[in-house]
Amino acid sequence: GAVVSQHPSRVICKSGTSVKIECRSLDFQATTMFWYRQFPKKSLMLMATSNEGSKATYEQGVEKDKFLINHASLTLSTLTVTSAHPEDSSFYICSAREGGRTEAFFGQGTRLTVV
Amino acid sequence: AQRVTQPEKLLSVFKGAPVELKCNYSYSGSPELFWYVQYSRQRLQLLLRHISRESIKGFTADLNKGETSFHLKKPFAQEEDSAMYYCALPPQGGATNKLIFGTGTLLAVQP
């Protein structure tokens, strides 16, 4: 089956620094990738959608300058949390979809803790 | 606007009991609905989708357009079914086919 790998699985960073999270599709070409944020005991909140080679589309209320998304290739998308603050601490999940298909496959998630 | 509602945050049943995880939606037209499952410390994964009309791990879900529901059912729960279950659908007319998730239901199967 299709595999999406997310790295790192856990990261702790100091307040004010930036953190990059990678999302890779290992055995298919991900024309579209999605970034979600999951709050404790709550659902996944879609942050943005990125199509390979174009700018990401952000959901309402998500700061695009704070959460930089790059989807430079068909197998890699990155989410950079800039100038991180403790309130950015969360579980970030990516998913990837191959062109022409509606099923999306999920990464294992990244637990970000900002101290 | 499209919406997915999972009214139960927690559903606790005993092993061998029937399970029904509720999902209601609002959508104009015929949506494509999904159930995703997240076992403890594992990634979110697709359980089933209504267009395939298949049974996965004993679970089935029927789309009821009259009641706008897509409840997930299993006749006899097993302990290994304990997990978080999310109902999801694409947004209305969304070109990107992103998914909108419900708030999830935690299924706890007691021995």
Side-chain angles (χ1 to χ4, degrees):
Chain A
V3 178
V4 175
S5 177
Q6 203 170 326
H7 178 80
S9 56
R10 290 178 183 272
V11 59
I12 301 173
C13 71
K14 290 184 177 180
S15 186
T17 62
S18 296
V19 174
K20 181 183 286 187
I21 303 170
E22 292 187 348
C23 180
R24 292 180 184 274
S25 57
L26 299 186
D27 51 3
F28 67 100
Q29 294 186 325
T31 51
T32 307
M33 286 189 171
F34 309 89
W35 286 95
Y36 293 87
R37 183 172 177 177
Q38 188 174 30
F39 294 94
K41 299 183 180 180
K42 293 192 176 181
S43 187
L44 289 80
M45 181 193 79
L46 180 65
M47 298 174 66
T49 303
S50 72
N51 292 293
E52 185 266 338
S54 59
K55 289 184 178 180
T57 302
Y58 290 81
E59 295 299 304
Q60 192 173 9
V62 178
E63 299 176 62
K64 61 181 181 181
D65 294 330
K66 179 158 186 68
F67 298 101
L68 300 178
I69 293 172
N70 183 279
H71 191 169
S73 78
L74 284 171
T75 59
L76 174 65
S77 176
T78 60
L79 167 67
T80 301
V81 183
T82 62
S83 186
H85 290 284
E87 56 264 31
D88 299 325
S89 298
S90 192
F91 195 60
Y92 293 87
I93 304 173
C94 74
S95 72
R97 185 179 66 87
E98 191 173 13
R101 305 182 67 173
T102 53
E103 181 176 353
F105 299 92
F106 287 79
Q108 69 271 40
T110 297
R111 172 72 61 191
L112 170 64
T113 303
V114 184
V115 297
Chain B
Q2 62 285 336
R3 184 183 297 174
V4 179
T5 303
Q6 292 180 252
E8 303 148 323
K9 287 188 176 180
L10 170 67
L11 182 62
S12 182
V13 301
F14 286 104
K15 176 183 174 180
V19 171
E20 182 179 71
L21 297 163
K22 292 184 168 51
C23 172
N24 289 90
Y25 67 90
S26 61
Y27 194 93
S28 297
S30 298
E32 184 175 4
L33 283 146
F34 303 83
W35 274 101
Y36 279 82
V37 61
Q38 188 172 26
Y39 299 101
S40 180
R41 299 185 181 183
Q42 293 188 29
R43 70 187 68 199
L44 203 65
Q45 56 186 288
L46 179 66
L47 179 62
L48 55 80
R49 52 200 301 183
H50 91 273
I51 59 171
S52 59
R53 300 188 65 80
E54 56 192 345
S55 173
I56 303 295
K57 298 183 179 181
F59 285 97
T60 58
D62 292 317
L63 179 62
N64 186 321
K65 293 184 180 180
E67 296 181 357
T68 60
S69 68
F70 188 55
H71 303 328
L72 184 68
K73 300 178 183 179
K74 184 169 183 176
F76 308 103
Q78 303 298 315
E79 289 181 66
E80 55 265 30
D81 295 328
S82 296
M84 195 74 177
Y85 291 81
Y86 295 94
C87 184
L89 85 169
Q92 193 91 43
T96 59
N97 284 320
K98 59 191 179 186
L99 289 174
I100 296 173
F101 286 85
T103 49
T105 299
L106 178 62
L107 174 63
V109 181
Q110 311 293 335

